[in-house]
Amino acid sequence: MVNPATEELITTVPATSAAGVDAAVRRAAAAQARWAALAPGDRARLLRRFATTVDAHREELAQLEVAEAGHPVGNARWEAGNVRDLLDYAAGGVERLTGQQIPVSGGVNLTFREPLGTVAVIAPWNFPMPVAAWGTAPALAAGNAVLLKPAETTPLTALRLAGLALAAGLPEGLFQVLPGSGAGTGRALVDHPGVAKVVFTGSTATGREVMARCAAQIKAVTLELGGKSPNIVFADADIERAAAAAPGSFLDNTGQDCCARSRILVQRQVYDRFLELLEPAVHAFTCGDPTDPGTAMGPLVSAAQRTRVRGYVPEDAPAAIRGTAPKGKGYWYPATVLEREPADRVAVEEVFGPVAVVLPFTDEADAVRLANATPYGLSGSIWTRDTGRALRLAQSVAAGNLSVNSHASVRYWTPFGGYKHSGLGRELGPGALAAFTETKNVFLDTQDPEHPQEQP
Ligand code: NAD
């Protein structure tokens, strides 16, 4: 693992072989049988204890995230707190995971929600802790075992979380972390017949392969993939507020955010004014040492990621706004705002770096057309003072997570997921635990053989 702000080697972590995956699946199956047999109240208590243990180690987890992912320390602290919250939220569902009693003729019909067994969670490097916990917390709460494969570049927080789970009293083998490559450990997990469901977060290209491999075994799969989300600013919006909020929506996490609002669509009559206000706001989003609590933006995660971003936008390409970034060691890349044609590659494809394109639009119909003109459909924001327009737009933009006069997208209380090439299925929210269960239907014939119920 390499610190992306200094390029110093932190440590190395051995990869899990196919035999290692197989052994982990066997340990998980044994632990899962014991876990599912526990009283729901006891499972909930253990998950709450896990949450409390994470909370007690928040600073340690945050520092690991700063070191291996280059996240500003304020963000990293929030991320560790988010893991705690996800565990608490899931723990609250354990004792409420009810089935149904459905009215039928001739007897009583019940449904049960049964755990799937062992779930594989495959996480990316951009939000190593929260994304790992989105799948892990509800899967455990619903009575499953979890095998988590972190991204190659960011396994350290995941490994620490597994240690904290054991310290909190979760059974050995129930939550295991299997570091390794996608082509090796990742594929072995996806293909293993002992894995009942795969929760994958990553690129659309890899998601397509994971889904095809799951299809070969009729295995359940959830895909959280890429995005190219619009930030739509109407002339009737509070333009000052919209401009002040825009930098965070595409620069947070150095733009390595699947929900980044990297296409800023601005109604033509306020276009110049918006750009004028955006410029100082972008410059105020300071890029630098992630260990400094005043830093808003750190480096990109790796040399490979910087090469990818430069492939879209070389640092000397013409830009409407360009921020500053440290020179020297570290995978730095400055905040960049471009004016380009709507069909340009950089305006349609996911860059996954601190780059946004600003595009003018004429009216509502034009805004919707532009917003939907990508293969993605993850998130989006709508800035307007007209509530009717806000709702019309929210219903017309083909994306899973929209916000009005805000850039909030991922919240553990509400469902999250993508339309089109941004994904399949939903995570988080009130249905999170149910997504890790099979529904079993049971009918009990209650008819008295002496007096069978009359058929109509
Ligand atoms: P990636 O697809 O390369 O890797 C994601 C994970 O999958 C890693 O753990 C990797 O080792 C593993 N993997 C790679 N090939 C695999 C294979 N053949 N079989 C099984 N596992 C395999 O993506 P990345 O570059 O790590 O992450 C960036 C991408 O993730 C971006 O496109 C971003 O938009 C997306 N992302 C989406 C969300 C979301 O919720 N929609 C959240 C975060 C990131």
Side-chain angles (χ1 to χ4, degrees), residues 4 60-71 75-77 79-80 125-130 154 156-157:
E60 180 194 345
L61 288 164
Q63 293 300 338
L64 282 177
E65 194 83 310
V66 173
E68 74 172 347
H71 292 190
N75 294 30
R77 287 183 180 132
E79 287 163 43
W125 47 259
N126 62 333
F127 289 110
M129 271 196 281
T154 54
L156 298 183
T157 48

Side-chain angles (χ1 to χ4, degrees), residues 123 125-126 149 152 201-203 206 209 224-226 258 350 352:
W125 47 259
N126 62 333
K149 196 205 85 63
E152 292 84 333
T201 304
S203 62
T206 310
E209 182 198 316
E224 297 289 359
L225 309 174
C258 49
E350 183 179 49
F352 228 50

Side-chain angles (χ1 to χ4, degrees), residues 104-190:
V104 292
S105 65
V108 173
N109 194 93
L110 303 171
T111 66
F112 295 91
R113 288 203 171 276
E114 298 185 345
L116 301 172
T118 297
V119 172
V121 175
I122 300 182
W125 47 259
N126 62 333
F127 289 110
M129 271 196 281
V131 176
W134 294 355
T136 300
L140 291 175
N144 302 280
V146 171
L147 299 175
L148 166 63
K149 196 205 85 63
E152 292 84 333
T153 37
T154 54
L156 298 183
T157 48
L159 287 165
R160 188 64 190 119
L161 284 172
L164 295 176
L166 284 180
L170 263 70
E172 190 106 32
L174 186 71
F175 171 41
Q176 301 173 62
V177 172
L178 311 181
S181 71
T185 313
R187 280 191 185 140
L189 259 177
V190 171

Side-chain angles (χ1 to χ4, degrees), residues 210-259:
V210 168
M211 189 174 174
R213 285 173 178 269
C214 287
Q217 295 185 32
I218 319 295
K219 189 176 284 191
V221 61
T222 306
L223 303 174
E224 297 289 359
L225 309 174
K228 187 74 182 177
S229 299
N231 174 11
I232 309 168
V233 183
F234 283 94
D236 67 4
D238 180 338
I239 303 297
E240 279 74 17
R241 238 185 98 208
S249 77
F250 72 95
L251 297 177
D252 193 52
N253 214 34
T254 324
Q256 302 163 120
D257 181 344
C258 49
C259 291

Side-chain angles (χ1 to χ4, degrees), residues 311-339:
Y312 279 98
V313 192
E315 272 124 308
D316 58 359
I321 304 171
R322 181 168 278 123
T324 54
K327 304 264 179 278
K329 290 266 180 210
Y331 309 123
W332 306 102
Y333 190 94
T336 304
V337 178
L338 305 170
E339 290 180 284

